[in-house]
Amino acid sequence: MTEHATPSARARALVRGAYDLHVHVAPDVMTRRISDLDLAVRFRDLGLAGFVIKSHYVPTAERAEHVRAVVPEVQTLGAITLNASVGGMNPVAVEIAGRGGAKVVWFPTVDSDNQRSCLAEEPEGATPPMWARLQQDLEDAGMKAEAVRVLEDDGTPTRQTAQVLQVMAKHSMVLATGHLHTDESSALVPAARAAGVERIIVTHPEFTSQRMGLDSQRALAEQGVFLERCLTTPLTGKVSWETWHANIRGAGVEHSVISTDLGQPFNPPVEDGLAIVADLMLSAGYPESEIRLMTVHNSRHLAGADPLPDAPAHLR
């Protein structure tokens, strides 16, 4: 297995109390580096507060509940992603997930129109996402689903999207924008706010199929959303570290939340991810307070956890 950087003790301490809001763990339809139960044990031993189980294909709330029962010291949280395997923009699926305790609703990822129609090439040497092979297998087998429609042609939410937003607001669920195009995210955010959705994350805006410009990131940040800075996006070569850091600083650290998107067998251990980012940010000149804001305080706010004593006033 590939050797990866070992986080420093300083970095480990900086991220204590954090949630990783985006991890891919077993059991899953794809091979993963670690199981949800084993990850919870490692998070507990390292002083990390919790994580959200992300699957592109299946809801994870019931799994998360089981993990919490076995490892109650760690808040393992469930989610649902609105791809074809759950019926796409399906308010019934979101309602059931919400009743089951799911915390996050990812809008379409692999089945978004933006991802399907993306012509952007991965930078030379970038590692392709694991789900690309599965998507191709489905297409080869004649099971390619229609892209999930989020907005009408005039930019307003479809009837199903409007229902989904209402359900999310009722259950206090977090909206993550998935692999939507910048224009879709820009239209979705105010609609979600109007429906009563309080916590919104723009999913890895630097990802290949998104490549959201800094001006758009700033405009969304002004609406109170958080921009998710995933470790794997620059780690696997999909964006340069320079651009990643420039976007964080340009949109404001107070509007950024660090997650890892880890779990792939070839990437670092999931439990090391946040501390790896902390070390990278220390090397890049971020003060400890900013690193802790992005990794710990903002993630806890989005997870609905109680603020820690050192949290800034606006998050208390």
Side-chain angles (χ1 to χ4, degrees), residues 75 96 121 182 208 311:
Q75 281 297 298
I96 298 303
E121 294 185 1
T182 296
T208 309

Side-chain angles (χ1 to χ4, degrees), residues 148-161:
V148 178
R149 190 173 175 83
V150 175
L151 302 174
E152 301 288 1
D153 291 340
D154 64 0
T156 59
T158 66
R159 179 177 61 84
Q160 291 84 358
T161 299

Side-chain angles (χ1 to χ4, degrees), residues 60-83:
T60 63
E62 289 78 9
R63 281 172 55 190
E65 184 175 359
H66 174 66
V67 176
R68 290 196 304 273
V70 177
V71 190
E73 302 89 345
V74 172
Q75 281 297 298
T76 304
L77 303 174
I80 185 171
T81 306
L82 301 181
N83 288 319

Side-chain angles (χ1 to χ4, degrees), residues 237-279:
K238 295 177 176 64
V239 68
S240 71
W241 288 104
E242 292 76 14
T243 298
W244 196 73
H245 286 303
N247 286 345
I248 291 172
R249 290 185 167 115
V253 295
E254 68 275 18
H255 302 300
S256 290
V257 62
I258 302 297
S259 61
T260 70
D261 199 5
L262 285 173
Q264 306 79 12
F266 47 82
N267 275 333
V270 182
E271 68 273 14
D272 288 352
L274 293 176
I276 287 173
V277 176
D279 271 328

Side-chain angles (χ1 to χ4, degrees), residues 22-296:
H22 191 156
V23 305
H24 296 276
V25 289
D28 196 5
V29 69
M30 287 168 278
T31 302
R32 296 304 182 189
R33 186 179 180 114
I34 191 171
S35 73
D36 44 19
L37 281 168
D38 287 341
L39 183 63
V41 171
R42 295 188 187 184
F43 264 50
R44 179 194 65 195
D45 294 346
L46 290 169
L48 295 164
F51 57 91
V52 178
I53 305 173
K54 166 79 175 289
S55 170
H56 291 291
Y57 298 100
V58 298
T60 63
E62 289 78 9
R63 281 172 55 190
E65 184 175 359
H66 174 66
V67 176
R68 290 196 304 273
V70 177
V71 190
E73 302 89 345
V74 172
Q75 281 297 298
T76 304
L77 303 174
I80 185 171
T81 306
L82 301 181
N83 288 319
S85 57
V86 300
M89 196 57 53
N90 184 353
V92 175
V94 178
E95 174 68 25
I96 298 303
R99 292 190 184 200
K103 177 63 66 175
V104 178
V105 178
W106 269 278
F107 270 54
T109 58
V110 300
D111 291 321
S112 70
D113 181 67
N114 181 56
Q115 186 62 58
R116 292 281 191 83
S117 61
C118 176
L119 298 177
E121 294 185 1
E122 299 278 10
E124 184 177 353
T127 304
M130 291 183 68
W131 47 259
R133 178 69 261 173
L134 176 53
Q135 290 295 103
Q136 188 61 53
D137 288 346
L138 293 172
E139 183 173 352
D140 292 345
M143 292 186 285
K144 182 178 180 179
E146 293 293 323
V148 178
R149 190 173 175 83
V150 175
L151 302 174
E152 301 288 1
D153 291 340
D154 64 0
T156 59
T158 66
R159 179 177 61 84
Q160 291 84 358
T161 299
Q163 288 180 306
V164 164
L165 294 175
Q166 291 167 3
V167 171
M168 290 177 62
K170 180 177 69 172
H171 292 291
S172 299
M173 301 168 91
V174 180
L175 188 159
T177 57
H179 294 194
L180 299 186
H181 188 274
T182 296
D183 293 344
E184 292 176 300
S185 294
S186 297
L188 180 63
V189 165
R193 285 278 189 241
V197 177
E198 296 181 353
R199 287 167 292 173
I200 301 174
I201 302 170
V202 176
T203 308
H204 47 46
E206 290 83 23
F207 196 74
T208 309
S209 60
Q210 294 158 267
R211 294 183 178 173
M212 184 179 287
L214 181 55
D215 287 345
S216 295
Q217 293 191 31
R218 285 172 171 157
L220 288 167
E222 289 173 358
Q223 298 177 62
V225 309
F226 287 83
L227 298 150
E228 181 190 40
R229 313 302 183 177
C230 286
L231 169 62
T232 57
T233 312
L235 184 70
T236 58
K238 295 177 176 64
V239 68
S240 71
W241 288 104
E242 292 76 14
T243 298
W244 196 73
H245 286 303
N247 286 345
I248 291 172
R249 290 185 167 115
V253 295
E254 68 275 18
H255 302 300
S256 290
V257 62
I258 302 297
S259 61
T260 70
D261 199 5
L262 285 173
Q264 306 79 12
F266 47 82
N267 275 333
V270 182
E271 68 273 14
D272 288 352
L274 293 176
I276 287 173
V277 176
D279 271 328
L280 289 166
M281 289 188 149
L282 287 169
S283 298
Y286 294 84
E288 289 189 356
S289 60
E290 291 184 350
I291 298 171
R292 195 155 170 81
L293 175 64
M294 291 185 283
T295 58
V296 178

